[in-house]
Amino acid sequence: MVRLLQKRVGNLPEEVRKKIQTLSLNQLESLGEALLDFTAIEDLFNWLESHQ
């Protein structure tokens, strides 16, 4: 998942990587679908904030 996100939005801060590692399988699946719409790292930040 991290590689896909980096390809989409660029380098991920370590803090963001750690948050991703704590996501449940359902959350990871949801993130996988959502990342298709991401255009900037802020989209990822917003998604993580609303799904933690």
Side-chain angles (χ1 to χ4, degrees):
M1 180 62 63
V2 171
R3 287 177 55 197
L4 293 172
L5 287 165
Q6 286 185 147
K7 190 166 184 92
R8 188 68 172 176
V9 300
N11 245 358
L12 301 178
E14 187 61 30
E15 177 184 319
V16 171
R17 290 173 184 241
K18 288 180 182 179
K19 284 184 181 182
I20 293 167
Q21 291 174 346
T22 66
L23 297 175
S24 70
L25 181 57
N26 286 339
Q27 289 172 312
L28 286 172
E29 289 175 350
S30 178
L31 177 57
E33 290 177 13
L35 80 84
L36 297 173
D37 296 325
F38 292 173
T39 58
I41 198 163
E42 288 78 17
D43 296 326
L44 173 59
F45 294 156
N46 291 336
W47 189 94
L48 287 170
E49 187 175 310
S50 66
H51 290 84
Q52 286 289 326

